Amino acid sequence: MSTSGDTHFREAIGLLQAGRLEDAERRFKKVLRQQPKNIAALNLLSVVLSQLKRYAEVEGYIKSALQLDASSDATFYNYGIALKALNRPKEALQRFNEALALNPSIAETWNNCGTVLNDLKRYEDAIEKFDKAIGLRRDYAEAIYNRGNALTGLRRHDEALAAYDAALALKPDFAEVWLGRGQVFSDMKRDLDARNAYRRAIALKPDLAEALSALAGLSLLDGNISEALDLSRRALALNESPETKAVVAACLQSPLLLLHPSIGDLRPILLRAVSEAWARPSTLAPACAHFVVLNEAIRNGMAKLADPKFRSLPAAELVGSSGIAGYAEDPLLRAALEATPVSNAALERFVTELRFVLLTATRIAGSGAVPNSVLALYSAVARQCFINSYVFAQSDAEIEQVQALRDALTAKLASGAAVPALSLLAVAAYAPLHMLPGVESVLSRRWPDSVDAVLTQQVRDCFEEQRLRSSMPALTPIEDDVSIKVRSHYEEHPYPQWLKTDPVGEPTTIDAFMHEMFPASPFVETGDNGGVDILVAGCGTGRQSIYIAKRFNDAQVLAIDLSLTSLCYAQRQARALGMNNIRYAQANIMKLSSIGRSFDVIESSGVLHHLADPFAGWRELLALLKPGGVMQLGFYSELARQDIVAVRDFIAERGYQPHADDIRRCRQELLACEDGTPFKNVTLTVDFFSLSDCRDLLFHAQEHRLTLPQIAAFLSDNDLQFLGFDIDAVTSRNYARRFPADVAMTDLAQWHQYETENPYTFIQMYQFWIQRK
């Protein structure tokens, strides 16, 4: 006898077959209310939810089905599909294998098992699964295509193209196959063929975001910034993934963007990129500075505040004529100020004058309430000043006014009197608030959100870092003069002062990472499938240690540094991010042999060149590297830093000292130099616009610069394999065109020739990976 549950079940199946997924979902749920142990309904509901891409809801229904009956391969298959979509590939692989153990005759299960193995970069294993699927279904175009993807991952390009051709013979309108062909051609440096393949994919499937992003990357390489932006934004609109955001961010970082007058208003997309950290915010700062002036009120404000007579106006007239109300609500200006040091001289002058307006406003604050938008901008100015370590120039008159304001504020705090928000922000814009006596009392008071954010930055976070000092372990003594001198530098000015982590892809293995970074290099696989021990030697404030801890599966990281201040900054940031796989400790690289440990990966970027003997430090680290282990290093280039060497000589001649006041004065002198001179060139770097970064760039007490022949000799003497430089795509392509025979891009003699011809190639550093043979 048919029940109402049976009727609803048949209706649900009919709705599913008709594609009415939401109605089918409601019917299946109605069946389950009446028949909670209906396995077929549980399985079919999971299918419906998968088609609706609500994968997180699928798992509960499948688990219920498995508790009732674990003998259905379809249940395990559906579970694998959901887990794959939830980016849990290892678990998905287990479920597909369970499905195959129950029923090995389903080609789709073999195919999906192979795609998960592709995701895990286990390409050889994936090919075995695809071969099984194709053996069951000779016309299985999707499996043949996926097999081509595995061959692409193995860089067996000709075989991959043959597989793609076979898939197209079965399914001529298969857009993803053309995407795969494009990726092969890109790997082979056949850019025109790659571009044509991507265009064919887009013609067949206009919403294929991966093809749009790939074509955008090629357009960016070709210098067609307008097309690259258009394609990347179309991809982003279709699929907001880390990959599509990264391509948009790459366009926004391009210097070409600033040279293209008809590019349009990019402020909304820039605002998102900066606020959501699609890339390191400092790399987006030039674009922010360029586009923020599209706001006419800001342009007018910059002109008014740049007038030499502006500061001589009476206080009320000065604040009133600043025009601040007209641009206080500009979200890009505020976001940029809160995220990263401004890296534009004109914008720096503007914000310097805004700070003076804020200071002046404290003298007339009793005349009325400050609009929330203006208060938010003043708060952003205070946060900017803290971020850039108070690099802005200060006049003697300002210093006197700030000291008077600071004394008045200290008295109010001691008496428990009300503290004006403007006074608090003005002091915060000239010196960190945590140094203000009694400032902890303001934390319990209610403040507007923008002011409270300043208190978190300059008081709560700093107090937490101070508390962490007593519990930071010390692994080695720090005794030699150079180490003590370098430690003192970073105690005073920890570097870098970062706020948001760099974007990180999905965690991966060392082997997969190295193959992706250097596909043609002579890297020898470590056999790592997770559980790697990593040393970050010279972690500074922790940005790189957090990145590397997120990047690798089951990573356990020891991060050491000379500076306790830097380590406490790093520890606070790691705790805020919920990172529990990093151990921070104070130690001297030259004494690390005493800790009795070895590591699979060692990272030491921008550190060894500050030792008394960089090569001695390198040898110390090599003694801790396991056989077959890999190491990432960063050294200053002698060729690339000639402008900086010239400025360091200038600093020595002028007698400037590595103190805040002297660094500020030196910067102003350098900014006044003629364009195109070595001195002015230095002011174009991002590091110039933060006091701590500028000290690291120009005033470091201990600096060595190396050449590629020196590095090559050390590698040879120590039986080390050079794996490749971590460089941008444009440099990579230009080198490949200059030296096409060096497919692996590992010939340091040819790289030395390339750098000689292009001396600013390694203006940041030589960043490279090596492997211990």
Side-chain angles (χ1 to χ4, degrees), residues 154 156 221 253 283 356 380 473 587 672 681 694 700 733 760 768:
L154 292 169
R156 288 156 59 178
L221 273 176
Q253 294 171 68
T283 65
F356 183 73
N681 290 344
C694 187
H700 207 290
R733 187 171 75 165
Y760 288 105
F768 59 92

Side-chain angles (χ1 to χ4, degrees), residues 564-710:
L564 193 56
T565 300
S566 299
L567 287 164
C568 293
Y569 188 104
Q571 179 80 346
R572 176 182 62 76
Q573 290 280 40
R575 288 186 175 184
L577 293 164
M579 304 290 295
N580 56 14
N581 61 334
I582 310 175
R583 181 192 180 204
Y584 289 100
Q586 191 174 31
N588 184 347
I589 286 174
M590 299 305 297
K591 303 284 187 179
L592 275 181
S593 59
S594 64
I595 68 175
R597 290 186 60 183
S598 60
F599 300 89
D600 302 288
V601 180
I602 296 178
E603 191 272 347
S604 189
S605 183
V607 178
L608 297 180
H609 51 225
H610 293 313
L611 300 184
D613 181 349
F615 294 112
W618 195 348
R619 283 189 288 270
E620 287 289 325
L621 294 181
L622 284 174
L624 306 179
L625 187 65
K626 294 178 182 178
V630 295
M631 183 182 286
Q632 182 188 19
L633 295 145
F635 291 104
Y636 287 149
S637 160
E638 183 71 63
L639 279 172
R641 288 177 71 84
Q642 288 308 297
D643 291 345
I644 293 168
V645 170
V647 173
R648 286 172 64 87
D649 291 343
F650 164 81
I651 288 169
E653 291 170 7
R654 285 285 202 275
Y656 284 124
Q657 298 300 308
H659 305 139
D661 289 341
D662 270 14
I663 293 172
R664 293 188 192 104
R665 283 193 288 269
C666 177
R667 289 182 74 258
Q668 294 306 309
E669 192 168 356
L670 293 173
L671 284 167
C673 292
E674 292 184 21
D675 290 346
T677 62
F679 291 178
K680 194 58 174 284
N681 290 344
V682 169
T683 73
L684 304 178
T685 64
V686 172
D687 285 353
F688 183 79
F689 291 88
S690 158
L691 195 142
S692 61
D693 295 11
C694 187
R695 180 176 178 181
D696 197 77
L697 178 74
L698 302 176
F699 287 81
H700 207 290
Q702 182 71 27
E703 173 179 313
H704 295 275
R705 296 170 298 278
L706 304 187
T707 66
L708 289 178
Q710 287 177 301

